[in-house]
Amino acid sequence: MATLNTWRLALDIKQWVVTAAEAVKLHLHDDLKVNTKSGRNDLVTNIDKTTEQYLVQKIRAQYPEAKIVGEEGFGDQVEDLTGLVFFVDPIDGTMNFVKARENFAIMIGAYLDGKGIVGVILDVMKDELFWGGPEFGVYKNNLPLPKPKNITLSEGLLGMSGPLLVHDVKHVAAAVTASSGARIFGSAGIEFTKVIQGFENGYVSKLMPWDFAAGKVMAETLGLKVTDIDGEPLSMLSSKIVLIGTERTHAQILALQ
Amino acid sequence: MATLNTWRLALDIKQWVVTAAEAVKLHLHDDLKVNTKSGRNDLVTNIDKTTEQYLVQKIRAQYPEAKIVGEEGFGDQVEDLTGLVFFVDPIDGTMNFVKARENFAIMIGAYLDGKGIVGVILDVMKDELFWGGPEFGVYKNNLPLPKPKNITLSEGLLGMSGPLLVHDVKHVAAAVTASSGARIFGSAGIEFTKVIQGFENGYVSKLMPWDFAAGKVMAETLGLKVTDIDGEPLSMLSSKIVLIGTERTHAQILALQ
């Protein structure tokens, strides 16, 4: 993998994601086959599955040595992060997709020996493609995104997970009260796009690696902090309560723990 | 007012709102003059004020006998609802406007002798114009919206106000837990557009008349219930915790009180 061209990799991922989105949009008003996974509000549809199958097939064809962590199980059983690893979330915000056909994202994060190199999040219905990495900076479609201002908790909107706020896990209610207000969009990918644009100063949610892999690459490239809620580094192989924020907001929310 | 042409009235309001939005967009990246009103998270900008001034001027020119209830105070001191009354919210979701330049709405509701006849909500950044009334039905741009399915609380996403959820006012946490999840968009106008499209099965928030006047007309036209959180009719001249929902969701949330 010493010869990996990350610019080519970024272009490949963008093409796959945009092509996958075109297929999703073609079937947008079909009847969905909806099933539950871990609970009644953890959904998967036939579209999640076919989208992941498509993305996995493209990755395997172009990068046959890579490993794939996919939400819907069409990837590999990945137990270590050596080499090139793709994290695939075919439809992030499946509940929004099912109920509202908006505010869902297709996401791929590519990591080399555990280090994020490319992140891509497509807000499908807004046609907004967020992509980037430490070598390129971060872009919204074709325009570079500036680094968000290092605002404090009180100066911005705080993206939240509904369940964490309802049960006030990890003092998130106090964080919301100190902020300019909570927002709940119901998709980690969509929330990452808000934070990297500076629309929110932070976001807290319990996430799986495919939920945060792409966003983490872009957020860190823009100088944002991404850790677990206790300030520890995230594992790319397990679920954590994730805290993303400007440096100041991140520190203020950590201080509540 | 016996000769009021409500079709003409709807066209007038749509034209004013869309024209006002064009002016807002022209100034979208200007530095805003932001001031607080009732508290640090209750904002008003120069754009709220100039937009309301424009809308009030158009109303007064075309409907000189009408009364105007305007959020920013350029209307009248309205103490009764006889005749034609316009409720104007020049920028609903000012916090979103200031922080994110998205998810804000321009809204006008027109009432005749206390009865809603025209409601218009423009999601400015999505260019989605929701308008309608009991004489016309409800439209998104040029296409009619079907009546939302009468789904139960557990079958849909519940739009929430952040402060009500953080403080669990009126058992909203239990309502959220029984639903498919909470969403917080931070604008009553935007939340109304979600409910009338069937993206959410209900919405709960403490609102002023200009926050709900337009949405109430459209919601009721589509068979949704709009009352206060205890099931009582709303006053068009005072603030209440407002509950909007499908018949079933509305009844289930009332049963929690």
Side-chain angles (χ1 to χ4, degrees), chain A residues 16-76:
Chain A
W16 303 334
V17 165
V18 169
T19 306
E22 293 306 309
V24 170
K25 285 186 196 172
L26 278 179
H27 296 282
L28 204 62
H29 298 289
D30 292 2
D31 282 338
L32 293 171
K33 295 189 191 78
V34 183
N35 290 297
T36 57
K37 296 191 289 187
S38 65
R40 72 178 182 90
N41 290 335
D42 182 15
L43 305 183
V44 60
T45 75
N46 52 311
I47 301 286
D48 297 67
K49 291 177 185 170
T50 55
T51 303
E52 181 163 309
Q53 285 171 317
Y54 169 79
L55 294 171
V56 164
Q57 170 210 320
K58 299 304 278 188
I59 294 168
R60 293 216 194 281
Q62 191 71 22
Y63 298 93
E65 295 165 36
K67 292 178 275 196
I68 302 172
V69 179
E71 175 170 17
E72 309 309 344
F74 298 102
D76 305 304

Short mmCIF file of all heavy atoms in Angstrom, two decimals, chain A residues 16-76:
data_model
loop_
_atom_site.label_atom_id
_atom_site.label_comp_id
_atom_site.label_asym_id
_atom_site.label_seq_id
_atom_site.Cartn_x
_atom_site.Cartn_y
_atom_site.Cartn_z
N TRP A 16 -18.28 6.48 -6.52
CA TRP A 16 -19.13 5.37 -6.06
C TRP A 16 -20.34 5.90 -5.28
O TRP A 16 -21.47 5.44 -5.46
CB TRP A 16 -18.35 4.42 -5.14
CG TRP A 16 -17.12 3.83 -5.75
CD1 TRP A 16 -16.86 3.62 -7.08
CD2 TRP A 16 -15.95 3.38 -5.04
NE1 TRP A 16 -15.62 3.07 -7.23
CE2 TRP A 16 -15.04 2.90 -6.01
CE3 TRP A 16 -15.59 3.31 -3.69
CZ2 TRP A 16 -13.79 2.36 -5.66
CZ3 TRP A 16 -14.35 2.79 -3.35
CH2 TRP A 16 -13.46 2.33 -4.33
N VAL A 17 -20.05 6.86 -4.39
CA VAL A 17 -21.11 7.36 -3.51
C VAL A 17 -22.17 8.11 -4.34
O VAL A 17 -23.38 7.93 -4.13
CB VAL A 17 -20.49 8.26 -2.42
CG1 VAL A 17 -21.54 9.09 -1.72
CG2 VAL A 17 -19.73 7.39 -1.40
N VAL A 18 -21.72 8.92 -5.26
CA VAL A 18 -22.68 9.69 -6.07
C VAL A 18 -23.49 8.74 -6.97
O VAL A 18 -24.70 8.91 -7.13
CB VAL A 18 -21.95 10.77 -6.89
CG1 VAL A 18 -22.87 11.38 -7.94
CG2 VAL A 18 -21.39 11.84 -5.96
N THR A 19 -22.83 7.74 -7.53
CA THR A 19 -23.55 6.78 -8.37
C THR A 19 -24.57 5.99 -7.53
O THR A 19 -25.70 5.76 -7.96
CB THR A 19 -22.55 5.82 -9.05
OG1 THR A 19 -21.57 6.60 -9.74
CG2 THR A 19 -23.27 4.91 -10.04
N ALA A 20 -24.16 5.61 -6.34
CA ALA A 20 -25.09 4.89 -5.45
C ALA A 20 -26.30 5.76 -5.14
O ALA A 20 -27.44 5.27 -5.10
CB ALA A 20 -24.37 4.49 -4.15
N ALA A 21 -26.07 7.05 -4.94
CA ALA A 21 -27.18 7.95 -4.60
C ALA A 21 -28.16 8.07 -5.77
O ALA A 21 -29.37 8.16 -5.55
CB ALA A 21 -26.64 9.33 -4.22
N GLU A 22 -27.64 8.07 -6.98
CA GLU A 22 -28.55 8.14 -8.13
C GLU A 22 -29.50 6.94 -8.13
O GLU A 22 -30.69 7.08 -8.41
CB GLU A 22 -27.75 8.21 -9.44
CG GLU A 22 -26.97 9.50 -9.61
CD GLU A 22 -27.85 10.74 -9.45
OE1 GLU A 22 -28.90 10.81 -10.10
OE2 GLU A 22 -27.47 11.61 -8.64
N ALA A 23 -28.96 5.78 -7.80
CA ALA A 23 -29.81 4.58 -7.75
C ALA A 23 -30.84 4.69 -6.62
O ALA A 23 -32.01 4.32 -6.78
CB ALA A 23 -28.94 3.33 -7.56
N VAL A 24 -30.40 5.22 -5.48
CA VAL A 24 -31.35 5.40 -4.36
C VAL A 24 -32.49 6.32 -4.78
O VAL A 24 -33.66 6.04 -4.53
CB VAL A 24 -30.62 5.97 -3.12
CG1 VAL A 24 -31.62 6.39 -2.04
CG2 VAL A 24 -29.62 4.96 -2.57
N LYS A 25 -32.13 7.41 -5.45
CA LYS A 25 -33.17 8.38 -5.84
C LYS A 25 -34.16 7.78 -6.85
O LYS A 25 -35.34 8.12 -6.82
CB LYS A 25 -32.52 9.62 -6.43
CG LYS A 25 -31.87 10.51 -5.39
CD LYS A 25 -31.38 11.78 -6.06
CE LYS A 25 -30.40 12.53 -5.21
NZ LYS A 25 -29.81 13.64 -5.96
N LEU A 26 -33.66 6.91 -7.72
CA LEU A 26 -34.56 6.27 -8.68
C LEU A 26 -35.65 5.46 -7.98
O LEU A 26 -36.75 5.30 -8.49
CB LEU A 26 -33.77 5.33 -9.60
CG LEU A 26 -33.06 5.95 -10.78
CD1 LEU A 26 -32.31 4.88 -11.55
CD2 LEU A 26 -34.06 6.65 -11.71
N HIS A 27 -35.30 4.91 -6.82
CA HIS A 27 -36.24 4.05 -6.09
C HIS A 27 -36.88 4.76 -4.90
O HIS A 27 -37.44 4.11 -4.01
CB HIS A 27 -35.51 2.78 -5.63
CG HIS A 27 -35.03 1.95 -6.79
ND1 HIS A 27 -35.88 1.14 -7.51
CD2 HIS A 27 -33.82 1.85 -7.37
CE1 HIS A 27 -35.19 0.57 -8.48
NE2 HIS A 27 -33.95 0.97 -8.43
N LEU A 28 -36.80 6.09 -4.91
CA LEU A 28 -37.18 6.85 -3.72
C LEU A 28 -38.64 6.64 -3.34
O LEU A 28 -38.99 6.66 -2.16
CB LEU A 28 -36.91 8.33 -3.97
CG LEU A 28 -36.71 9.20 -2.74
CD1 LEU A 28 -35.50 8.75 -1.97
CD2 LEU A 28 -36.54 10.65 -3.17
N HIS A 29 -39.49 6.46 -4.32
CA HIS A 29 -40.91 6.35 -3.99
C HIS A 29 -41.45 4.93 -4.14
O HIS A 29 -42.65 4.70 -4.14
CB HIS A 29 -41.71 7.38 -4.80
CG HIS A 29 -41.28 8.78 -4.46
ND1 HIS A 29 -41.58 9.37 -3.26
CD2 HIS A 29 -40.52 9.67 -5.14
CE1 HIS A 29 -41.04 10.57 -3.21
NE2 HIS A 29 -40.39 10.78 -4.34
N ASP A 30 -40.52 3.99 -4.25
CA ASP A 30 -40.93 2.57 -4.20
C ASP A 30 -41.41 2.24 -2.78
O ASP A 30 -41.04 2.91 -1.82
CB ASP A 30 -39.72 1.65 -4.48
CG ASP A 30 -39.22 1.75 -5.91
OD1 ASP A 30 -39.77 2.55 -6.68
OD2 ASP A 30 -38.26 1.02 -6.24
N ASP A 31 -42.21 1.20 -2.68
CA ASP A 31 -42.48 0.65 -1.36
C ASP A 31 -41.19 0.04 -0.84
O ASP A 31 -40.51 -0.72 -1.54
CB ASP A 31 -43.56 -0.45 -1.44
CG ASP A 31 -44.94 0.17 -1.55
OD1 ASP A 31 -45.11 1.33 -1.16
OD2 ASP A 31 -45.84 -0.53 -2.05
N LEU A 32 -40.85 0.37 0.39
CA LEU A 32 -39.62 -0.16 0.98
C LEU A 32 -39.92 -1.45 1.73
O LEU A 32 -40.99 -1.60 2.31
CB LEU A 32 -39.04 0.85 1.98
CG LEU A 32 -38.51 2.16 1.40
CD1 LEU A 32 -38.18 3.12 2.53
CD2 LEU A 32 -37.30 1.90 0.53
N LYS A 33 -38.95 -2.36 1.71
CA LYS A 33 -38.99 -3.49 2.63
C LYS A 33 -38.21 -3.09 3.87
O LYS A 33 -37.00 -2.96 3.83
CB LYS A 33 -38.35 -4.73 1.99
CG LYS A 33 -39.09 -5.26 0.79
CD LYS A 33 -38.50 -6.61 0.34
CE LYS A 33 -39.04 -7.02 -1.01
NZ LYS A 33 -38.36 -6.27 -2.13
N VAL A 34 -38.93 -2.88 4.96
CA VAL A 34 -38.30 -2.38 6.18
C VAL A 34 -38.27 -3.48 7.23
O VAL A 34 -39.29 -4.10 7.53
CB VAL A 34 -39.09 -1.16 6.74
CG1 VAL A 34 -38.38 -0.59 7.97
CG2 VAL A 34 -39.24 -0.09 5.66
N ASN A 35 -37.10 -3.72 7.78
CA ASN A 35 -36.96 -4.66 8.89
C ASN A 35 -36.27 -3.98 10.06
O ASN A 35 -35.55 -2.99 9.88
CB ASN A 35 -36.16 -5.89 8.46
CG ASN A 35 -36.94 -6.76 7.50
OD1 ASN A 35 -37.99 -7.29 7.83
ND2 ASN A 35 -36.45 -6.86 6.27
N THR A 36 -36.48 -4.52 11.25
CA THR A 36 -35.78 -3.99 12.43
C THR A 36 -34.54 -4.83 12.69
O THR A 36 -34.45 -5.99 12.30
CB THR A 36 -36.68 -4.01 13.68
OG1 THR A 36 -37.13 -5.34 13.89
CG2 THR A 36 -37.88 -3.09 13.49
N LYS A 37 -33.56 -4.19 13.36
CA LYS A 37 -32.32 -4.90 13.73
C LYS A 37 -32.27 -5.03 15.25
O LYS A 37 -32.92 -5.90 15.81
CB LYS A 37 -31.11 -4.16 13.15
CG LYS A 37 -31.11 -4.15 11.61
CD LYS A 37 -29.78 -3.67 11.04
CE LYS A 37 -29.55 -2.19 11.25
NZ LYS A 37 -28.34 -1.69 10.56
N SER A 38 -31.52 -4.15 15.93
CA SER A 38 -31.36 -4.32 17.39
C SER A 38 -32.60 -3.93 18.18
O SER A 38 -32.72 -4.28 19.35
CB SER A 38 -30.16 -3.49 17.85
OG SER A 38 -30.43 -2.11 17.67
N GLY A 39 -33.52 -3.17 17.57
CA GLY A 39 -34.71 -2.74 18.30
C GLY A 39 -35.68 -2.11 17.33
O GLY A 39 -35.37 -1.97 16.15
N ARG A 40 -36.83 -1.67 17.84
CA ARG A 40 -37.90 -1.24 16.92
C ARG A 40 -37.55 0.05 16.18
O ARG A 40 -38.15 0.34 15.14
CB ARG A 40 -39.23 -1.10 17.66
CG ARG A 40 -39.32 0.08 18.58
CD ARG A 40 -40.69 0.19 19.26
NE ARG A 40 -40.75 1.37 20.09
CZ ARG A 40 -41.15 2.57 19.67
NH1 ARG A 40 -41.57 2.75 18.45
NH2 ARG A 40 -41.14 3.60 20.48
N ASN A 41 -36.59 0.82 16.70
CA ASN A 41 -36.20 2.04 16.01
C ASN A 41 -34.85 1.93 15.30
O ASN A 41 -34.26 2.92 14.91
CB ASN A 41 -36.20 3.23 16.98
CG ASN A 41 -37.62 3.60 17.38
OD1 ASN A 41 -38.57 3.34 16.66
ND2 ASN A 41 -37.77 4.19 18.56
N ASP A 42 -34.36 0.71 15.13
CA ASP A 42 -33.11 0.45 14.41
C ASP A 42 -33.50 -0.29 13.13
O ASP A 42 -33.72 -1.50 13.14
CB ASP A 42 -32.18 -0.39 15.29
CG ASP A 42 -30.83 -0.65 14.62
OD1 ASP A 42 -30.50 0.03 13.63
OD2 ASP A 42 -30.11 -1.54 15.11
N LEU A 43 -33.60 0.48 12.04
CA LEU A 43 -34.21 -0.06 10.82
C LEU A 43 -33.17 -0.39 9.76
O LEU A 43 -32.09 0.19 9.70
CB LEU A 43 -35.20 0.95 10.24
CG LEU A 43 -36.30 1.44 11.17
CD1 LEU A 43 -37.24 2.39 10.42
CD2 LEU A 43 -37.09 0.28 11.76
N VAL A 44 -33.54 -1.31 8.90
CA VAL A 44 -32.78 -1.57 7.68
C VAL A 44 -33.79 -1.82 6.56
O VAL A 44 -34.85 -2.40 6.79
CB VAL A 44 -31.81 -2.77 7.84
CG1 VAL A 44 -32.56 -4.05 8.20
CG2 VAL A 44 -30.97 -2.96 6.58
N THR A 45 -33.47 -1.32 5.39
CA THR A 45 -34.36 -1.52 4.24
C THR A 45 -33.61 -2.26 3.13
O THR A 45 -32.38 -2.37 3.16
CB THR A 45 -34.86 -0.18 3.66
OG1 THR A 45 -33.79 0.43 2.92
CG2 THR A 45 -35.32 0.77 4.75
N ASN A 46 -34.38 -2.71 2.16
CA ASN A 46 -33.77 -3.30 0.97
C ASN A 46 -32.79 -2.32 0.30
O ASN A 46 -31.78 -2.74 -0.27
CB ASN A 46 -34.85 -3.74 -0.02
CG ASN A 46 -35.85 -2.63 -0.35
OD1 ASN A 46 -36.38 -1.97 0.54
ND2 ASN A 46 -36.10 -2.42 -1.63
N ILE A 47 -33.07 -1.02 0.41
CA ILE A 47 -32.18 -0.02 -0.22
C ILE A 47 -30.84 0.07 0.51
O ILE A 47 -29.78 0.19 -0.12
CB ILE A 47 -32.87 1.36 -0.26
CG1 ILE A 47 -34.19 1.30 -1.03
CG2 ILE A 47 -31.93 2.41 -0.84
CD1 ILE A 47 -34.06 1.20 -2.52
N ASP A 48 -30.87 0.00 1.84
CA ASP A 48 -29.60 -0.05 2.58
C ASP A 48 -28.75 -1.22 2.07
O ASP A 48 -27.55 -1.09 1.84
CB ASP A 48 -29.83 -0.29 4.09
CG ASP A 48 -30.60 0.82 4.78
OD1 ASP A 48 -31.80 1.00 4.48
OD2 ASP A 48 -30.01 1.50 5.64
N LYS A 49 -29.41 -2.36 1.92
CA LYS A 49 -28.65 -3.58 1.56
C LYS A 49 -28.11 -3.50 0.14
O LYS A 49 -26.94 -3.78 -0.10
CB LYS A 49 -29.55 -4.81 1.73
CG LYS A 49 -29.86 -5.11 3.19
CD LYS A 49 -30.80 -6.30 3.33
CE LYS A 49 -31.20 -6.51 4.78
NZ LYS A 49 -32.29 -7.49 4.91
N THR A 50 -28.95 -3.12 -0.82
CA THR A 50 -28.44 -3.08 -2.20
C THR A 50 -27.38 -2.00 -2.36
O THR A 50 -26.44 -2.16 -3.14
CB THR A 50 -29.59 -2.84 -3.21
OG1 THR A 50 -30.29 -1.66 -2.87
CG2 THR A 50 -30.56 -4.01 -3.23
N THR A 51 -27.53 -0.90 -1.61
CA THR A 51 -26.52 0.16 -1.70
C THR A 51 -25.18 -0.33 -1.15
O THR A 51 -24.12 -0.10 -1.75
CB THR A 51 -27.00 1.43 -0.96
OG1 THR A 51 -28.24 1.83 -1.52
CG2 THR A 51 -25.99 2.56 -1.08
N GLU A 52 -25.23 -1.02 -0.02
CA GLU A 52 -23.96 -1.53 0.53
C GLU A 52 -23.35 -2.57 -0.41
O GLU A 52 -22.12 -2.57 -0.63
CB GLU A 52 -24.16 -2.13 1.92
CG GLU A 52 -22.83 -2.64 2.50
CD GLU A 52 -22.84 -2.86 3.99
OE1 GLU A 52 -23.26 -1.93 4.71
OE2 GLU A 52 -22.46 -3.95 4.45
N GLN A 53 -24.19 -3.43 -0.96
CA GLN A 53 -23.66 -4.43 -1.91
C GLN A 53 -22.96 -3.76 -3.08
O GLN A 53 -21.88 -4.18 -3.49
CB GLN A 53 -24.79 -5.34 -2.40
CG GLN A 53 -25.23 -6.36 -1.34
CD GLN A 53 -26.49 -7.11 -1.74
OE1 GLN A 53 -27.44 -6.49 -2.23
NE2 GLN A 53 -26.50 -8.41 -1.51
N TYR A 54 -23.56 -2.73 -3.61
CA TYR A 54 -22.95 -2.00 -4.72
C TYR A 54 -21.61 -1.41 -4.31
O TYR A 54 -20.59 -1.56 -5.01
CB TYR A 54 -23.90 -0.89 -5.21
CG TYR A 54 -23.23 0.07 -6.18
CD1 TYR A 54 -23.06 -0.28 -7.52
CD2 TYR A 54 -22.74 1.30 -5.74
CE1 TYR A 54 -22.42 0.58 -8.40
CE2 TYR A 54 -22.11 2.16 -6.61
CZ TYR A 54 -21.95 1.80 -7.94
OH TYR A 54 -21.30 2.65 -8.80
N LEU A 55 -21.57 -0.74 -3.16
CA LEU A 55 -20.34 -0.07 -2.73
C LEU A 55 -19.24 -1.09 -2.44
O LEU A 55 -18.07 -0.90 -2.80
CB LEU A 55 -20.61 0.80 -1.51
CG LEU A 55 -21.55 2.00 -1.76
CD1 LEU A 55 -21.94 2.67 -0.45
CD2 LEU A 55 -20.90 3.02 -2.70
N VAL A 56 -19.61 -2.20 -1.80
CA VAL A 56 -18.63 -3.24 -1.48
C VAL A 56 -18.05 -3.84 -2.77
O VAL A 56 -16.83 -4.07 -2.88
CB VAL A 56 -19.28 -4.32 -0.59
CG1 VAL A 56 -18.44 -5.60 -0.55
CG2 VAL A 56 -19.50 -3.77 0.83
N GLN A 57 -18.90 -4.05 -3.73
CA GLN A 57 -18.45 -4.61 -5.02
C GLN A 57 -17.46 -3.66 -5.70
O GLN A 57 -16.42 -4.09 -6.24
CB GLN A 57 -19.69 -4.84 -5.88
CG GLN A 57 -19.45 -5.20 -7.32
CD GLN A 57 -20.60 -4.69 -8.21
OE1 GLN A 57 -21.78 -4.75 -7.82
NE2 GLN A 57 -20.26 -4.16 -9.37
N LYS A 58 -17.75 -2.35 -5.68
CA LYS A 58 -16.84 -1.38 -6.29
C LYS A 58 -15.50 -1.36 -5.55
O LYS A 58 -14.43 -1.30 -6.18
CB LYS A 58 -17.44 0.02 -6.28
CG LYS A 58 -18.74 0.17 -7.06
CD LYS A 58 -18.65 -0.26 -8.50
CE LYS A 58 -18.07 0.78 -9.41
NZ LYS A 58 -18.19 0.35 -10.85
N ILE A 59 -15.54 -1.40 -4.23
CA ILE A 59 -14.30 -1.39 -3.46
C ILE A 59 -13.47 -2.64 -3.76
O ILE A 59 -12.27 -2.57 -4.02
CB ILE A 59 -14.60 -1.31 -1.94
CG1 ILE A 59 -15.25 0.03 -1.60
CG2 ILE A 59 -13.32 -1.51 -1.12
CD1 ILE A 59 -15.85 0.09 -0.19
N ARG A 60 -14.14 -3.79 -3.76
CA ARG A 60 -13.40 -5.05 -3.97
C ARG A 60 -12.77 -5.08 -5.36
O ARG A 60 -11.67 -5.60 -5.55
CB ARG A 60 -14.34 -6.25 -3.81
CG ARG A 60 -14.86 -6.44 -2.40
CD ARG A 60 -14.99 -7.93 -2.07
NE ARG A 60 -15.79 -8.15 -0.85
CZ ARG A 60 -15.31 -7.99 0.39
NH1 ARG A 60 -14.06 -7.60 0.60
NH2 ARG A 60 -16.10 -8.24 1.43
N ALA A 61 -13.46 -4.52 -6.35
CA ALA A 61 -12.92 -4.53 -7.71
C ALA A 61 -11.69 -3.63 -7.82
O ALA A 61 -10.71 -3.98 -8.49
CB ALA A 61 -14.00 -4.07 -8.70
N GLN A 62 -11.75 -2.48 -7.17
CA GLN A 62 -10.68 -1.49 -7.35
C GLN A 62 -9.54 -1.65 -6.33
O GLN A 62 -8.39 -1.37 -6.64
CB GLN A 62 -11.29 -0.09 -7.22
CG GLN A 62 -10.38 1.05 -7.62
CD GLN A 62 -10.15 1.10 -9.12
OE1 GLN A 62 -10.95 0.58 -9.91
NE2 GLN A 62 -9.03 1.68 -9.53
N TYR A 63 -9.91 -2.10 -5.13
CA TYR A 63 -8.91 -2.23 -4.05
C TYR A 63 -9.04 -3.63 -3.44
O TYR A 63 -9.49 -3.77 -2.30
CB TYR A 63 -9.12 -1.13 -3.00
CG TYR A 63 -8.93 0.26 -3.56
CD1 TYR A 63 -10.01 0.98 -4.06
CD2 TYR A 63 -7.66 0.83 -3.65
CE1 TYR A 63 -9.84 2.24 -4.61
CE2 TYR A 63 -7.47 2.10 -4.20
CZ TYR A 63 -8.57 2.79 -4.69
OH TYR A 63 -8.39 4.04 -5.24
N PRO A 64 -8.65 -4.65 -4.18
CA PRO A 64 -8.93 -6.03 -3.74
C PRO A 64 -8.23 -6.41 -2.44
O PRO A 64 -8.71 -7.33 -1.74
CB PRO A 64 -8.43 -6.88 -4.91
CG PRO A 64 -7.55 -6.00 -5.73
CD PRO A 64 -8.04 -4.61 -5.52
N GLU A 65 -7.17 -5.75 -2.08
CA GLU A 65 -6.48 -6.12 -0.83
C GLU A 65 -7.09 -5.44 0.39
O GLU A 65 -6.73 -5.76 1.54
CB GLU A 65 -5.01 -5.72 -0.91
CG GLU A 65 -4.23 -6.50 -1.96
CD GLU A 65 -2.89 -5.85 -2.26
OE1 GLU A 65 -2.26 -5.31 -1.33
OE2 GLU A 65 -2.49 -5.87 -3.45
N ALA A 66 -7.98 -4.49 0.18
CA ALA A 66 -8.53 -3.73 1.31
C ALA A 66 -9.52 -4.56 2.11
O ALA A 66 -10.12 -5.51 1.61
CB ALA A 66 -9.21 -2.46 0.80
N LYS A 67 -9.69 -4.16 3.36
CA LYS A 67 -10.74 -4.74 4.21
C LYS A 67 -11.92 -3.77 4.28
O LYS A 67 -11.74 -2.56 4.12
CB LYS A 67 -10.20 -5.00 5.62
CG LYS A 67 -9.14 -6.11 5.64
CD LYS A 67 -8.56 -6.32 7.02
CE LYS A 67 -7.43 -5.36 7.29
NZ LYS A 67 -6.58 -5.74 8.45
N ILE A 68 -13.08 -4.32 4.52
CA ILE A 68 -14.30 -3.50 4.50
C ILE A 68 -15.12 -3.76 5.76
O ILE A 68 -15.44 -4.92 6.07
CB ILE A 68 -15.17 -3.81 3.26
CG1 ILE A 68 -14.37 -3.59 1.97
CG2 ILE A 68 -16.44 -2.95 3.27
CD1 ILE A 68 -15.08 -4.06 0.70
N VAL A 69 -15.44 -2.67 6.47
CA VAL A 69 -16.37 -2.73 7.60
C VAL A 69 -17.67 -2.11 7.11
O VAL A 69 -17.73 -0.90 6.86
CB VAL A 69 -15.83 -1.95 8.82
CG1 VAL A 69 -16.83 -2.00 9.98
CG2 VAL A 69 -14.47 -2.47 9.25
N GLY A 70 -18.70 -2.92 6.94
CA GLY A 70 -19.96 -2.40 6.40
C GLY A 70 -21.09 -2.56 7.39
O GLY A 70 -21.19 -3.60 8.05
N GLU A 71 -21.95 -1.56 7.46
CA GLU A 71 -23.03 -1.60 8.45
C GLU A 71 -23.92 -2.82 8.28
O GLU A 71 -24.35 -3.42 9.25
CB GLU A 71 -23.89 -0.33 8.37
CG GLU A 71 -25.09 -0.42 9.31
CD GLU A 71 -25.86 0.87 9.50
OE1 GLU A 71 -25.71 1.79 8.69
OE2 GLU A 71 -26.63 0.93 10.48
N GLU A 72 -24.22 -3.16 7.03
CA GLU A 72 -25.22 -4.21 6.81
C GLU A 72 -24.61 -5.60 6.62
O GLU A 72 -25.32 -6.55 6.26
CB GLU A 72 -26.13 -3.84 5.63
CG GLU A 72 -26.74 -2.44 5.70
CD GLU A 72 -27.45 -2.12 7.01
OE1 GLU A 72 -27.75 -3.06 7.78
OE2 GLU A 72 -27.67 -0.93 7.28
N GLY A 73 -23.31 -5.73 6.85
CA GLY A 73 -22.70 -7.06 6.93
C GLY A 73 -22.18 -7.64 5.63
O GLY A 73 -21.81 -8.82 5.60
N PHE A 74 -22.11 -6.84 4.58
CA PHE A 74 -21.57 -7.37 3.32
C PHE A 74 -20.05 -7.18 3.22
O PHE A 74 -19.44 -7.55 2.22
CB PHE A 74 -22.27 -6.71 2.12
CG PHE A 74 -23.74 -7.00 2.10
CD1 PHE A 74 -24.67 -6.06 2.53
CD2 PHE A 74 -24.20 -8.25 1.69
CE1 PHE A 74 -26.03 -6.34 2.52
CE2 PHE A 74 -25.57 -8.55 1.68
CZ PHE A 74 -26.48 -7.59 2.11
N GLY A 75 -19.46 -6.60 4.27
CA GLY A 75 -18.02 -6.44 4.29
C GLY A 75 -17.35 -7.65 4.92
O GLY A 75 -17.81 -8.79 4.76
N ASP A 76 -16.26 -7.38 5.63
CA ASP A 76 -15.46 -8.45 6.23
C ASP A 76 -15.59 -8.43 7.75
O ASP A 76 -16.06 -7.45 8.33
CB ASP A 76 -13.99 -8.23 5.86
CG ASP A 76 -13.80 -8.12 4.35
OD1 ASP A 76 -14.22 -9.06 3.64
OD2 ASP A 76 -13.27 -7.09 3.88
#
